[in-house]
Amino acid sequence: MILWVNDVVEFSEPVYCQIHAPKTGGTFVRTWLKENTGLRSECPFNLHDSNGHWTWKDYSERVSDFPRRYESMTQKVRVSGMVRHPYDRFVSQFRHLFTLPYKYDRMYDVLSNSELLLRPQYDYYFLDGQQMGYWYHLGTGVDVPITQGIAVPTSNTRHYRHTHKDVSDRYGMEPLDTFDIPEWMKRMVQDLYAKDFETFGFNI
């Protein structure tokens, strides 16, 4: 999760809590807000989450009096994020995992990032069956509302792709938008992310 604040005269006012499930366009939203608004990113509940990929369960286990503090936050700010079709997300995850040994020197960093990447999107929007935020589908061109007067246009995410955009050229991998996912992989993804298909209405 990423908390976005607006710096006013003498204090910082929280305006939006971004749910950042890995490989769902969260980096695009983050980059767009940094480049096009005066908002500043912080870690929710004053906890340091370096990549913004903690789930609500992670926070509930680390934040004292979590239910009250979550309720207090959601009375002030919008809580939302984007979800992505599990097939596309899984292929993107695999490509990203392939690059991790090149990014990190220590195997611990590779494994810890791998564990975060493979979590279901469901875990980022629900805690013990309770819905914790709203979602918008990546690839539909929807504008994601942030606060009054600010909405992130998701119709052109290509321009904002981060440092992995050239993974095809660097590692000889087939471009993501031309990859034809095989049936055996589809079945595996359906088993791994059954709740994502059911909850977010993705077609099998």
Side-chain angles (χ1 to χ4, degrees), residues 58-204:
D58 294 323
Y59 284 108
S60 69
E61 293 173 346
R62 293 167 171 82
V63 177
S64 60
D65 199 14
F66 173 77
R68 182 192 63 80
R69 296 182 66 180
Y70 167 80
E71 182 67 23
S72 176
M73 180 185 71
T74 55
Q75 289 177 358
K76 303 174 184 176
V77 306
R78 183 189 303 270
V79 180
S80 71
M82 291 196 291
V83 293
R84 185 179 188 180
H85 197 290
Y87 295 157
D88 296 334
R89 182 174 182 248
F90 183 80
V91 173
S92 182
Q93 287 169 331
F94 173 81
R95 293 158 63 86
H96 182 61
L97 289 173
F98 183 84
T99 69
L100 289 181
Y102 298 90
K103 290 182 61 186
Y104 300 105
D105 295 328
R106 298 183 303 163
M107 182 55 66
Y108 169 79
D109 294 317
V110 175
L111 295 176
S112 62
N113 277 271
S114 301
E115 191 273 336
L116 286 170
L117 285 168
L118 294 174
R119 289 177 173 178
Q121 296 171 82
Y122 179 92
D123 292 350
Y124 289 87
Y125 292 89
F126 291 84
L127 176 62
D128 298 329
Q130 176 185 349
Q131 184 176 333
M132 306 294 283
Y134 298 94
W135 57 85
Y136 301 86
H137 284 256
L138 181 66
T140 59
V142 66
D143 288 354
V144 178
I146 304 300
T147 186
Q148 186 174 4
I150 299 177
V152 179
T154 66
S155 57
N156 183 21
T157 61
R158 184 177 300 273
H159 173 69
Y160 288 92
R161 285 183 181 174
H162 50 98
T163 54
H164 307 294
K165 65 182 178 181
D166 57 346
V167 65
S168 301
D169 295 333
R170 290 167 60 191
Y171 305 113
M173 303 179 77
E174 188 175 344
L176 185 61
D177 52 4
T178 63
F179 180 76
D180 186 16
I181 185 169
E183 289 300 320
W184 66 265
M185 187 179 291
K186 288 183 178 180
R187 291 192 294 270
M188 180 176 65
V189 173
Q190 292 166 20
D191 290 339
L192 282 172
Y193 302 117
K195 279 191 173 181
D196 288 356
F197 279 98
E198 177 183 358
T199 303
F200 306 117
F202 294 115
N203 294 325
I204 293 179

Side-chain angles (χ1 to χ4, degrees), residues 19-59:
I19 297 176
H20 191 185
K23 314 311 293 178
T24 61
T27 299
F28 158 73
V29 172
R30 194 172 186 168
T31 303
W32 192 93
L33 288 174
K34 284 183 177 179
E35 294 184 359
N36 296 277
T37 75
L39 302 181
R40 175 171 54 83
S41 61
E42 291 184 351
C43 296
F45 310 111
N46 297 317
L47 287 180
H48 179 63
D49 172 16
S50 60
N51 52 31
H53 293 324
W54 282 0
T55 65
W56 292 114
K57 186 174 187 295
D58 294 323
Y59 284 108

